[in-house]
Amino acid sequence: MVFFCLIFAVYGVFMLYVLLGLKRLRCKHVNHPNYPEVSIVIPVHNEEASLLNTLKSLKAQNYAGKWEVIWVNDRSTDQSLEILTQFCQDIEHFKVLSIPSAEGYVPFAKKRAMDRGIAAAKYDILMSSDADCLPPVNWIASMLAN
């Protein structure tokens, strides 16, 4: 019985050590000393099914530096543009660009959307994601960590 209590105590101390280490690691990313400025470009084409969740997950980022998200709607025929416009209207660091349907089809439409977003970016460091991805709250900080 004493043996099992000793094993349990050692295991508990070990787990406490691991959890404290993970917490320190997470905080290291969030409290990055330089806080580089970053622009995130996200092309959007007919993503209404997942777009709201992606918007919420990017809004929830806990990065302390200056950052912006440039959403580039590429001729969506669903409600993507309306969802973007409504959600982003009161978020200062979210910007919505729209490629009008009059510009027509091009073979590499995502490249065109990325080019527009990059041209509109305020900051030198660029990141990108897709409109159906759900980045965790430390995504920006972890991508910029050394």
Side-chain angles (χ1 to χ4, degrees), residues 2-120:
V2 173
F3 177 74
F4 289 116
C5 288
L6 183 61
I7 295 286
F8 183 71
V10 169
Y11 179 75
V13 169
F14 174 73
M15 290 306 295
L16 183 62
Y17 178 77
V18 168
L19 291 173
L20 290 174
L22 288 173
K23 183 175 181 178
R24 249 191 323 261
L25 179 63
R26 184 177 302 140
C27 290
K28 180 181 175 187
H29 293 305
V30 174
N31 297 319
H32 192 281
N34 297 327
Y35 297 118
E37 300 169 331
V38 61
S39 293
I40 302 163
V41 178
I42 304 194
V44 178
H45 180 74
N46 292 339
E47 298 285 351
E48 73 179 357
S50 58
L51 189 55
L52 192 56
N53 289 329
T54 304
L55 284 157
K56 289 177 183 177
S57 103
L58 278 164
K59 182 181 178 186
Q61 291 297 302
N62 64 0
Y63 185 63
K66 291 183 181 179
W67 59 286
E68 68 176 348
V69 182
I70 302 164
W71 303 87
V72 185
N73 178 57
D74 183 18
R75 304 169 304 112
S76 293
T77 56
D78 62 3
Q79 298 297 310
S80 293
L81 181 58
E82 290 79 9
I83 293 168
L84 283 170
T85 304
Q86 183 177 2
F87 190 93
C88 298
Q89 67 185 355
D90 296 326
I91 304 172
E92 184 178 324
H93 56 276
F94 278 21
K95 181 189 300 186
V96 178
L97 303 178
S98 189
I99 298 172
S101 57
E103 287 196 31
Y105 171 80
V106 293
F108 303 103
K110 187 171 183 177
K111 180 188 178 305
R112 173 176 60 186
M114 289 297 297
D115 286 344
R116 297 280 171 88
I118 291 169

